[in-house]
Amino acid sequence: MRMYDLIYTKKLGGALSPDQIVFWVKGAADGSIPDEQSASLLMAICWRGMTTEETLALTLAMRDSGKRLDLSAVPGLKVDKHSTGGVGDKTTMILGPIVAACGVPCPMFSGRGLGHTGGTVDKFEAIPGLNVELSEAEFLRSLSETRFANSAQTADIAPADKKLYALRDITATVESIPLITASIMSKKLAGGADALVLDVKCGPTAFMKTLEDARTLAQSMVNVGTAHGMQIRALITRMDAPLGWAIGNALEIMESVEILRGEHAAGELAQMSFRLAAEMLIMGGAASTLAEAQAKVQASIQDGSALETLRRFVALNGGDATSLDDFSRLPQAGQVVDVLASQDGYIADIDGRSLGILAMDLGAGRRDRSDVLDLGVGIRVLAQVGQKVAKGDLLFQVFAKANQLVLPDLYLSTLRLTMNSTVQSPWLLASIGC
Amino acid sequence: MRMYDLIYTKKLGGALSPDQIVFWVKGAADGSIPDEQSASLLMAICWRGMTTEETLALTLAMRDSGKRLDLSAVPGLKVDKHSTGGVGDKTTMILGPIVAACGVPCPMFSGRGLGHTGGTVDKFEAIPGLNVELSEAEFLRSLSETRFANSAQTADIAPADKKLYALRDITATVESIPLITASIMSKKLAGGADALVLDVKCGPTAFMKTLEDARTLAQSMVNVGTAHGMQIRALITRMDAPLGWAIGNALEIMESVEILRGEHAAGELAQMSFRLAAEMLIMGGAASTLAEAQAKVQASIQDGSALETLRRFVALNGGDATSLDDFSRLPQAGQVVDVLASQDGYIADIDGRSLGILAMDLGAGRRDRSDVLDLGVGIRVLAQVGQKVAKGDLLFQVFAKANQLVLPDLYLSTLRLTMNSTVQSPWLLASIGC
C-alpha cells in the first residue's frame, strides 16, 4: 500500500477503504508516513469530504491507536456528553451529578481550555485538592461509588488523534466535518460509554456559524455513533452570549453549585443542562419519556441529591467538599471592578467570544498551552440580552488579579445596545434523535 | 506573516497576494516553512486554483529563488521552445538548428528523461564527446557563435521549484494547472529568452488527456507569459503514437539528422518541428507571415545550413561532429531483433506510452533517477497508424543490449489492429496566439 495512492484517490473524490485508513492512521502515528503526505491528505479530505463508512473507519482507527477503557465492571448503561465548546459552558459540572444522582453512571473525560473557551478540567481544578487527573483505577472507583467520574483525558487515549490534530492545527485543516467527527468520536468511543448526547453549539462566535453547518456536524457524529451501534442524540444550541453569569474557573464552580441548589432555574444554563441531563436519563434507561426524565431531574435538584453527588465526587477524589458550600474556600480574585452602563438602551447582543478573550487575558484561560491560570479571576456577566439598561447600571463585575489594569470600555464594547427592545431567541435550535 | 493564514485563505478559495507568495516560496526553499504546511497549501491550490496574478507571482518567486541568465550580450530576440513531453519527441534537436540557421538565437535548457519519456539532454549525450552540461560562459559562447545552445538545467536555476516539485511528487499535487504553469514558466523565465513557443501534448497517453485540459494549461502559460511581457504562443498537438520512427537516444540523433537532411519531410515529426520553428522565426522577427517563415525553414533544410549549424554546435562543445554524418560513430546496440506482424489487419492505434516503457526497460530511459542509460538501445517504429499490415510484415526493430531477452509479443501488444482501414487524425489540434 502506498500513501501516494490514498492521497491521489481522495484528491479525485474517491473513497478510501477501511484498510487504507488504518494504514494511514498507523503510519501517521508511528512516523512511517511523513507529515507532508498526511497534511496533503488532510487538505484533500477538507476538499472532498468522507462517507460515513470512511469517517467511521477513521474514528475506529484513531480509537484503536491507544488505550480503551473497559467500564463493564460498573453496572448499567453508561452515558456521556460532549459539547463543541462555548464561553461559560459549565454544563458538565451540573448535569454529571444530576444524571448520576438519578441512577445513571456518567463517565466523562474533559479537556483543558485554550483560547476563548474554558476547559472543564480547569474549572474542576478550582476546587482545592480535587484530583483532576485520575488513574484508570481512580476513575472506575469514582464511577462505581458516586456514579460520576470526570478526569483529564490521558495521553494514551487516541494518540493518533493527538498527532493528527497537531498537524491539522498548523495546516488549516481543523475545519472539516469528517475530521472533527472522527476526532471527537474516537475519544468518546475509547472512553467506553454506551450512549452519548451531543451539544453542538451554533452561532456567529461558535465553531459552527450556521444552523446548516451545525446540523451537518451533528448528523455526521450521530451517523458514526449509530453505525457503531452506540445510542446517540444531539441538541443544536445557540451560542452567542456567555452561558450563565460566570466566566472563569472558581466563578463557574460557584454558578454550577447555585444551579444544583435550585437557583437560576429559569435561566438558559439551567434549562440547557436539565434538558441534556433528561436526554441522558432516557438513553440510560432511567426514564422512558422526556416529561418523566425532566421530573427526575427536578427531583434530584429539590431533594439535594444532585449536589450531594457532587460533594461525594469531590470528597472521594481528594477535593475540599466544604468549598462547595463555603465559596470563600475557593480561589479568590485580588480585586473586583464594577463595569457600569455608560448610556441608556436595550442590550441587543453580547459577544461571548470577546468576553472569553477578555477572561483569558485576565488569566482565566490560556493563549498558549503552557500558560498558567489564575483560577480565581474571571467575569460576572450581569448584562442579559433583551434587558433594558440605564446609564450607571451594573453590567459586569471583573474579578482580576490585584494591581491588574481593568479597562471598563473593553467590556462595554462586547455589548451592542439598541434604542428598541429586543427578544432573545430560544436556546434550542434543533435536535437529532431526541 | 503566518503560513497558516495563507493556507486558510486558499482553503476558503481566496487569492494570495504577491507578498504572501514570495513569503511561502522563500520559506519553502530555505526550510523555515515546514513541508507539511507547504503540502497542505499545495493541495488547497489543486482544489481552489490560482488567478493569473497569483500564478505569475508564484512563477516569479520561483524564478527569483535562483540564478537568472543574462543573454543581453547576444544580439537579437532570443526564442525558446518548451514541450510538455512525449515519446520520441526530438523536436528540440531539429528546430533549434533550423531557427539558429535562419538567424534567430535559440537558447534552450533541457532535462533528463524519467519514466516513459526521454530527455533531450540524454539524447544529445549520445553524440560522443558533446558537453551537455555547459557553464554559463560556454552556453553564451555557443549561443553567440552558432546562435544555438542547449544544456542541462543547472541546479541553481529555480531551486525553489525543484524543492516544491519533490514535495508535489510525493503528495499527489503534481496535477494542477497553476502549479505546472509556474514550474515550467519559472525555469523558462530564468533562462532569459524573450519569446517562447509551447508544444502542449494532448492525448490518452499524455499528461493532458483532453483537449479542454490541454487548452487550459496552454492558456494558463500564455497568460502568465503575456502578463510578464513575454512573447508567447502555444500549439496543442496530438500525443498517442511515438513521434517519428526513433525511440532511444542515439536512434533519435540519427532521425533528427535525417530530418535536417530533408528526409521524412512529409512525416508528422518533420511537419511539427517545421511549424514550431516557423512560429519561433516569426516571434524572433525573422519572418512576418507563417508562409514566409515556412519558406525560410525549408530553405535552411535544402541549403544544408540547419544541419551545418548542428555540426558547428556539436564541434564547438567538444562533440564528434563527424558522427552526425557517420552513424557508426554513435553508440550502437548489441543486437537488433525484428518484430513481425503475427496477423493481418489495419493499425488503429499505437500506444506510445507502452513503447516508451519498453524502451526504458531496454535501458534507453530511467525508472529511477539514479539509473544509468545505454545510449545505443531503443526501438525503430516502422508501424504507422492507418497502415495495412500483412502477417510477417516488419513492425518494429528492437535495438537491445547483447544477450538481453526481447519478447516480440510485448511490442505487438502496443498495437491495436482492426479489420477496417482507419485514418490518423491531424497532429495539430489547436493553437493559441499563432
Side-chain angles (χ1 to χ4, degrees):
Chain A
M1 211 175 279
R2 294 191 320 155
M3 181 62 184
Y4 181 92
D5 298 327
L6 277 70
I7 306 169
Y8 194 68
T9 297
K10 185 49 72 184
K11 182 190 181 192
L12 297 184
L16 304 177
S17 72
D19 283 354
Q20 286 179 311
I21 289 171
V22 166
F23 167 79
W24 171 41
V25 171
K26 281 193 171 164
D30 69 20
S32 62
I33 290 173
D35 283 353
E36 53 269 32
Q37 289 191 314
S38 288
S40 158
L41 179 57
L42 287 167
M43 184 59 83
I45 291 170
C46 292
W47 174 6
R48 299 295 194 172
M50 278 185 143
T51 66
T52 296
E53 290 67 34
E54 287 178 285
T55 311
L56 177 60
L58 180 58
T59 302
L60 297 179
M62 296 204 305
R63 177 196 68 178
D64 294 341
S65 69
K67 192 176 173 63
R68 292 172 58 183
L69 223 63
D70 178 3
L71 304 178
S72 60
V74 179
L77 290 171
K78 274 70 73 182
V79 187
D80 193 0
K81 182 220 68 157
H82 179 79
S83 162
T84 59
V87 174
D89 185 351
K90 66 280 286 181
T91 53
T92 295
M93 291 179 287
I94 301 167
L95 62 79
I98 291 174
V99 169
C102 293
V104 173
C106 192
M108 301 180 108
F109 288 95
S110 305
R112 295 191 180 269
L114 186 64
H116 69 281
T117 57
T120 298
V121 168
D122 298 323
K123 298 172 191 182
F124 269 124
E125 205 153 43
I127 298 173
L130 181 63
N131 180 4
V132 297
E133 295 182 349
L134 303 179
S135 69
E136 185 176 344
E138 289 165 339
F139 189 89
L140 284 170
R141 186 182 62 154
S142 182
L143 192 63
S144 294
E145 296 193 12
T146 72
R147 285 195 291 271
F148 177 56
N150 188 89
S151 175
Q153 193 109 49
T154 53
D156 52 6
I157 297 283
D161 172 66
K162 195 159 297 177
K163 164 78 185 163
L164 286 176
Y165 194 88
L167 194 53
R168 289 166 61 202
D169 203 30
I170 61 164
T171 58
T173 52
V174 167
E175 289 164 44
S176 151
I177 298 287
L179 295 177
I180 296 168
T181 298
S183 177
I184 293 171
M185 294 299 291
S186 63
K187 289 175 284 192
K188 289 294 161 190
L189 293 184
D194 305 294
L196 177 65
V197 64
L198 301 168
D199 175 16
V200 177
K201 303 287 187 195
C202 172
T205 65
F207 199 54
M208 296 288 123
K209 312 287 182 213
T210 67
L211 183 56
E212 190 191 345
D213 284 353
R215 206 189 279 276
T216 304
L217 175 60
Q219 189 66 57
S220 172
M221 290 195 283
V222 167
N223 289 346
V224 164
T226 304
H228 190 60
M230 182 185 224
Q231 280 197 75
I232 184 164
R233 302 177 169 210
L235 299 186
I236 297 169
T237 63
R238 176 171 46 71
M239 180 69 228
D240 35 37
L243 198 54
W245 65 256
I247 307 173
N249 303 288
L251 296 175
E252 297 196 39
I253 294 291
M254 298 177 201
E255 186 178 20
S256 300
V257 170
E258 287 172 0
I259 302 253
L260 290 175
R261 279 181 196 152
E263 298 169 30
H264 318 297
E268 203 168 288
L269 172 63
Q271 291 297 312
M272 190 182 297
S273 303
F274 295 165
R275 173 64 189 268
L276 288 163
E279 300 292 345
M280 293 169 80
L281 292 184
I282 297 170
M283 287 195 287
S288 49
T289 66
L290 184 58
E292 186 190 347
Q294 285 176 318
K296 290 205 171 186
V297 169
Q298 288 309 319
S300 78
I301 300 292
Q302 277 151 27
D303 67 12
S305 61
L307 182 54
E308 180 57 21
T309 297
L310 181 59
R311 285 195 199 95
R312 290 178 53 219
F313 163 75
V314 168
L316 180 68
N317 293 297
D320 174 7
T322 65
S323 69
L324 301 178
D325 298 295
D326 175 4
F327 293 164
S328 73
R329 300 176 74 94
L330 293 172
Q332 305 291 317
Q335 61 169 328
V336 182
V337 178
D338 289 345
V339 177
L340 308 181
S342 57
Q343 59 185 103
D344 298 349
Y346 293 87
I347 297 178
D349 51 52
I350 303 176
D351 180 355
R353 188 169 192 281
S354 296
L355 284 170
I357 290 170
L358 286 168
M360 178 183 80
D361 287 340
L362 289 171
R366 292 180 190 82
R367 194 174 283 278
D368 295 309
R369 282 184 204 281
S370 59
D371 289 351
V372 175
L373 302 188
D374 183 324
L375 297 168
V377 302
I379 306 166
R380 179 187 289 267
V381 182
L382 294 103
Q384 296 206 28
V385 175
Q387 179 192 351
K388 180 176 185 177
V389 297
K391 183 172 176 176
D393 283 356
L394 182 62
L395 297 179
F396 300 102
Q397 283 187 303
V398 181
F399 294 75
K401 296 173 197 165
N403 304 324
Q404 199 169 9
L405 182 66
V406 174
L407 299 172
D409 281 353
L410 290 180
Y411 293 83
L412 292 176
S413 70
T414 66
L415 303 177
R416 193 167 59 87
L417 291 185
T418 56
M419 301 308 294
N420 302 307
S421 67
T422 57
V423 178
Q424 173 70 301
S425 61
W427 61 267
L428 182 59
L429 301 177
S431 67
I432 297 176
C434 302
Chain B
M1 212 174 278
R2 295 190 320 154
M3 181 61 184
Y4 181 92
D5 299 326
L6 277 69
I7 306 169
Y8 193 69
T9 297
K10 185 49 70 184
K11 181 189 182 193
L12 297 185
L16 305 178
S17 71
D19 282 354
Q20 287 179 312
I21 289 172
V22 167
F23 168 78
W24 170 41
V25 171
K26 280 193 173 166
D30 69 19
S32 62
I33 291 173
D35 283 354
E36 52 270 32
Q37 289 191 312
S38 288
S40 160
L41 179 57
L42 287 167
M43 185 60 83
I45 291 170
C46 291
W47 175 4
R48 300 296 193 171
M50 279 186 143
T51 65
T52 296
E53 289 67 34
E54 287 178 284
T55 311
L56 176 60
L58 180 58
T59 302
L60 296 181
M62 296 204 304
R63 176 196 69 178
D64 294 341
S65 70
K67 192 176 173 61
R68 291 172 61 184
L69 222 66
D70 179 2
L71 304 179
S72 60
V74 179
L77 289 171
K78 273 70 71 181
V79 187
D80 194 359
K81 182 220 66 158
H82 179 79
S83 163
T84 60
V87 174
D89 185 350
K90 66 281 285 178
T91 52
T92 296
M93 291 179 288
I94 301 166
L95 60 78
I98 291 174
V99 169
C102 294
V104 173
C106 191
M108 302 181 108
F109 288 95
S110 305
R112 294 192 180 268
L114 186 64
H116 69 282
T117 57
T120 298
V121 168
D122 299 323
K123 297 172 192 183
F124 269 123
E125 205 153 43
I127 298 174
L130 181 63
N131 180 5
V132 296
E133 296 182 348
L134 302 180
S135 68
E136 186 176 342
E138 290 164 337
F139 189 89
L140 284 170
R141 185 182 62 154
S142 184
L143 192 62
S144 293
E145 296 193 11
T146 73
R147 283 194 293 271
F148 177 57
N150 188 89
S151 176
Q153 194 108 50
T154 54
D156 53 5
I157 296 284
D161 171 65
K162 195 159 295 177
K163 164 80 185 163
L164 286 175
Y165 194 89
L167 193 54
R168 289 165 61 200
D169 202 31
I170 62 164
T171 57
T173 51
V174 167
E175 290 165 42
S176 152
I177 298 286
L179 295 177
I180 296 168
T181 298
S183 177
I184 293 171
M185 293 299 291
S186 63
K187 289 175 286 191
K188 287 295 162 190
L189 293 185
D194 304 294
L196 178 64
V197 64
L198 301 168
D199 174 16
V200 177
K201 303 287 187 192
C202 171
T205 65
F207 199 55
M208 296 289 122
K209 311 288 182 211
T210 67
L211 182 56
E212 191 191 343
D213 285 352
R215 205 189 280 276
T216 304
L217 175 59
Q219 188 67 57
S220 171
M221 291 195 283
V222 166
N223 289 346
V224 164
T226 304
H228 190 58
M230 182 184 223
Q231 279 197 76
I232 185 164
R233 303 176 169 211
L235 299 186
I236 298 170
T237 64
R238 176 170 47 69
M239 180 71 229
D240 36 37
L243 198 54
W245 65 256
I247 308 174
N249 302 289
L251 296 176
E252 297 195 38
I253 294 291
M254 297 177 203
E255 186 179 19
S256 300
V257 169
E258 287 172 0
I259 302 251
L260 290 174
R261 280 182 195 150
E263 298 169 30
H264 318 296
E268 203 168 289
L269 172 63
Q271 291 296 313
M272 190 182 296
S273 303
F274 295 166
R275 174 63 188 269
L276 287 164
E279 300 293 345
M280 294 168 80
L281 292 185
I282 296 171
M283 287 195 287
S288 48
T289 67
L290 184 59
E292 186 191 348
Q294 286 175 319
K296 289 205 171 185
V297 169
Q298 288 310 318
S300 78
I301 301 291
Q302 277 152 27
D303 67 12
S305 61
L307 182 55
E308 180 56 22
T309 297
L310 181 60
R311 285 194 200 97
R312 288 178 55 219
F313 162 75
V314 169
L316 180 67
N317 294 296
D320 174 8
T322 65
S323 69
L324 301 178
D325 298 294
D326 175 5
F327 293 164
S328 72
R329 300 176 75 95
L330 292 172
Q332 305 291 318
Q335 60 171 330
V336 181
V337 178
D338 289 346
V339 177
L340 308 180
S342 57
Q343 58 185 103
D344 298 349
Y346 292 87
I347 297 177
D349 49 55
I350 304 176
D351 181 353
R353 187 170 192 280
S354 297
L355 283 171
I357 291 170
L358 286 169
M360 178 182 79
D361 288 340
L362 289 171
R366 293 180 188 82
R367 193 174 286 278
D368 296 308
R369 282 184 204 279
S370 58
D371 289 351
V372 176
L373 302 188
D374 182 324
L375 297 168
V377 302
I379 306 167
R380 178 189 291 267
V381 183
L382 294 103
Q384 296 207 28
V385 174
Q387 177 191 355
K388 181 176 184 179
V389 295
K391 183 174 174 175
D393 283 356
L394 180 63
L395 297 178
F396 299 102
Q397 282 186 304
V398 181
F399 293 75
K401 295 172 197 164
N403 304 323
Q404 199 170 11
L405 183 65
V406 174
L407 299 171
D409 281 354
L410 289 180
Y411 293 83
L412 292 176
S413 71
T414 66
L415 303 177
R416 193 167 60 86
L417 291 184
T418 56
M419 299 308 293
N420 302 307
S421 65
T422 57
V423 178
Q424 174 70 302
S425 61
W427 60 268
L428 181 59
L429 301 176
S431 67
I432 297 176
C434 302

